Amino acid sequence: MMMTTAKNQQRIAIIGAGPGGLTLALILQKHGIQTVIYEREPFDMNGQRGGSLDIHEESGQRALREAGLYEQFQKLARYEGEDFRLFDKTGKIYMDEVAELDDKGTRPEIDRGTLCDMLLESLGSNSVQYGHKLIRAVPLNNGQHELHFENGYVDTVDLVVGADGAFSRIRQLVTDRDAEYSGLSMIEINVLNAAAAHPELAVFNGRGKMFALDDHKGILAQLNGDGRIRVYLSFEKERGWLDQCGIPFDQPEEAKRQLLELYGDWDESLKLYIRSADGDMLPRRIYMLPVGLRWSRKPGVTLIGDAAHLMSPFAGEGVNMAMLDALELALAIVQDGDVNQAVGTYEEKMFVYSSQLAEESLDNLKLCFGDEAARNLADLMNQYHLQP
């Protein structure tokens, strides 16, 4: 009891209200340890920051169990979202996996916004301080940090956890390494209300993901819970390509015309994703941290999720790693009365599992945008299926 009381008196701040930060706060709250989450946006933006997520049994689902949300997650999860189709540019199909609903898999889908709504509802309305953009975190001599926000607010905390993503401001407290361009650029487009508005494409896509890979580029599509198909047109290009390619992303019809030219010799069934796109286009570069990044332990600070081990999306591990980090850090804090010893326990574990998955992610990126990509990805996935 005395240990719990001492932990309750330690002020813990989490920077960033994404899935990792929310999961960390909720698990700690379940164990009687209160935190404050500072989020730079004026309100919850998770619904606009990415589409459908596959939540893995050994990581994301474990965290949800500890947070007391597993049963609720089961009701919302889409097991049919595990469907996967794989093509090359000619429309030749290499994989056509259909999830059996009575044989539930281990990686069901849920929309990012739905997942975060569930976490926020359980946390309570006052757990996140919105409109708090961190300007700097100043280490104090006693291991605490003084947090300065753009709105003028200042807080002093015993532990600050950077859950603030790819370009984390907290990361610079522990390492001078920063996110680097991975060589891959994407243009996100959306096919809204696909089943009703574009039934032919909806049938072609199926209930989950579709990958078409060839010529060092790809069309990656996923059905979301709101009925849209979110599509990522992906290109292995120099970092400046999105700025120099001349595609007017703010003029969707002209942009679609130029994108169709870039995929000129691809099968019409695949180009239909571009023809059917609605609304805004979002160009983005994919960044990553060096594989195997470690840092020397610093008092009163640590990182979770992309802030700690940003990787490309080709291991499907981003949100799962953030939630696993949250679980491991929370349990270490619960089990150890000293937050700095807890951070050390967590970081040693995290460095090991995140390095393995970051390496896998980089290997998969190279495979998906190399020669014979569709065939090689099919071979790789079939090897996993053959493992006992």
Side-chain angles (χ1 to χ4, degrees):
M1 181 67 69
M2 289 178 62
M3 183 182 291
T4 303
T5 303
K7 285 184 292 189
N8 283 341
Q9 292 171 351
Q10 295 173 335
R11 184 158 177 80
I12 300 173
I14 301 165
I15 308 301
L22 294 174
T23 301
L24 174 60
L26 182 54
I27 295 175
L28 287 173
Q29 180 178 286
K30 293 290 181 184
H31 289 274
I33 302 172
Q34 296 302 316
T35 64
V36 58
I37 304 175
Y38 291 115
E39 168 56 48
R40 62 184 294 167
E41 300 293 350
F43 53 85
D44 177 33
M45 293 281 288
N46 281 294
Q48 289 78 53
R49 287 181 170 165
S52 188
L53 305 168
D54 53 333
I55 305 299
H56 300 178
E57 187 175 49
E58 69 281 4
S59 48
Q61 291 182 46
R62 272 186 61 207
L64 290 171
R65 284 183 189 276
E66 187 66 33
L69 291 176
Y70 183 71
E71 287 73 20
Q72 189 177 345
F73 166 73
Q74 289 288 306
K75 295 174 184 175
L76 296 169
R78 303 192 311 277
Y79 281 88
E80 70 276 11
E82 293 190 75
D83 287 5
F84 179 69
R85 312 192 83 200
L86 174 63
F87 299 86
D88 65 15
K89 69 177 183 179
T90 70
K92 178 181 177 180
I93 191 163
Y94 288 79
M95 298 189 75
D96 191 6
E97 296 187 338
V98 178
E100 299 291 339
L101 292 185
D102 57 352
D103 181 21
K104 291 188 173 181
T106 60
R107 297 185 170 193
E109 298 276 333
I110 189 170
D111 285 7
R112 181 187 172 110
T114 304
L115 173 67
C116 291
D117 285 347
M118 183 174 66
L119 292 163
L120 278 165
E121 184 177 332
S122 192
L123 262 175
S125 57
N126 297 323
S127 298
V128 183
Q129 299 298 309
Y130 290 104
H132 282 67
K133 179 182 179 182
L134 184 73
I135 299 301
R136 66 184 181 278
V138 181
L140 304 178
N141 291 333
N142 60 359
Q144 293 182 316
H145 284 77
E146 195 174 75
L147 307 179
H148 294 255
F149 296 91
E150 192 175 63
N151 60 11
Y153 183 69
V154 178
D155 193 3
T156 301
V157 300
D158 300 291
L159 175 64
V160 57
V161 180
D164 48 344
F167 302 103
S168 168
R169 285 185 176 271
I170 299 300
R171 188 190 299 130
Q172 61 194 10
L173 294 172
V174 297
T175 177
D176 59 2
R177 301 303 296 269
D178 209 347
E180 302 166 354
Y181 178 57
S182 68
L184 189 70
S185 291
M186 289 183 171
I187 301 161
E188 180 185 324
I189 60 177
N190 289 276
V191 180
L192 303 178
N193 195 18
H198 304 281
E200 179 185 352
L201 184 62
V203 170
F204 178 82
N205 188 86
R207 302 173 302 175
K209 293 187 180 72
M210 188 289 306
F211 278 25
L213 302 169
D214 221 326
D215 293 344
H216 299 259
K217 51 182 186 270
I219 299 175
L220 318 176
Q222 56 174 199
L223 180 64
N224 286 195
D226 63 359
R228 81 177 63 200
I229 299 175
R230 200 178 295 256
V231 185
Y232 302 92
L233 307 177
S234 307
F235 306 86
E236 189 180 59
K237 296 288 186 182
E238 295 297 318
R239 188 187 181 285
W241 180 75
L242 285 173
D243 302 317
Q244 300 158 5
C245 64
I247 299 173
F249 298 112
D250 58 346
Q251 301 172 39
E253 289 309 311
E254 173 59 19
K256 283 161 68 169
R257 187 189 68 78
Q258 293 191 32
L259 288 167
L260 285 166
E261 288 182 357
L262 287 175
Y263 288 91
D265 62 345
W266 286 49
D267 191 77
E268 285 299 320
S269 62
L270 300 169
K271 289 194 283 190
L272 190 57
Y273 283 99
I274 302 172
R275 298 188 195 280
S276 305
D278 304 288
D280 294 340
M281 297 185 173
L282 178 63
R284 60 172 62 168
R285 298 178 181 90
I286 303 302
Y287 288 85
M288 56 182 286
L289 284 166
V291 173
L293 175 65
R294 286 174 170 255
W295 54 84
S296 300
R297 194 186 317 169
K298 303 292 193 300
V301 60
T302 193
L303 308 173
I304 66 172
D306 286 349
H309 42 64
L310 178 68
M311 59 188 80
S312 82
F314 291 94
E317 294 289 356
V319 72
N320 288 287
M321 284 298 93
M323 295 173 76
L324 180 60
D325 292 348
L327 172 66
E328 295 291 356
L329 177 56
L331 293 182
I333 292 171
V334 168
Q335 291 161 9
D336 197 318
D338 184 305
V339 290
N340 287 308
Q341 289 184 26
V343 163
T345 301
Y346 153 70
E347 287 183 348
E348 283 308 308
K349 272 185 150 179
M350 179 270 290
F351 289 146
V352 174
Y353 63 68
S354 66
S355 295
Q356 294 169 347
L357 290 165
E359 188 167 357
E360 178 184 320
S361 174
L362 180 59
D363 289 345
N364 289 350
L365 184 153
K366 292 175 179 176
L367 182 150
C368 287
F369 295 90
D371 296 330
E372 298 287 332
R375 180 183 305 282
N376 290 335
L377 181 58
D379 290 345
L380 177 66
M381 294 184 71
N382 284 326
Q383 285 178 25
Y384 281 122
H385 294 330
L386 291 173
Q387 290 177 359

